[in-house]
Amino acid sequence: MKQPSSIQPASAPPPPPMGSIDTATLELLAAWKAEDSTTDPEKLREADEEVAEFKKAMDENRAASGARLLFP
């Protein structure tokens, strides 16, 4: 029985090394962060309220199912 070859064909690019940095993704995330950034106190307050509501809903759901609370 012939064993499969572990050598990749010359036309295929080699896979990126494990642990390599994906700069394109990091640049995209930085651009999104810059677009969404604000110093408007009202928008910051609204964002804080949304996070607080989310945490409360997560814990209410977990409490109802008997699971450990994430944000006690």
Side-chain angles (χ1 to χ4, degrees):
M1 178 188 309
K2 186 175 180 182
Q3 295 292 322
S5 173
S6 62
I7 300 173
Q8 293 183 351
S11 62
M18 296 299 288
S20 67
I21 297 174
D22 183 353
T23 55
T25 300
L26 293 176
E27 289 170 358
L28 178 61
L29 292 172
W32 286 347
K33 185 176 180 180
E35 289 173 10
D36 292 342
S37 67
T38 183
T39 56
D40 180 351
E42 182 61 23
K43 287 185 178 180
L44 294 172
R45 186 192 60 73
E46 290 173 4
D48 287 341
E49 283 182 8
E50 288 178 15
V51 170
E53 289 174 19
F54 172 77
K55 288 179 177 181
K56 181 180 175 188
M58 290 289 291
D59 275 344
E60 286 175 351
N61 185 49
R62 292 180 67 84
S65 66
R68 177 183 64 86
L69 300 182
L70 298 174
F71 310 102

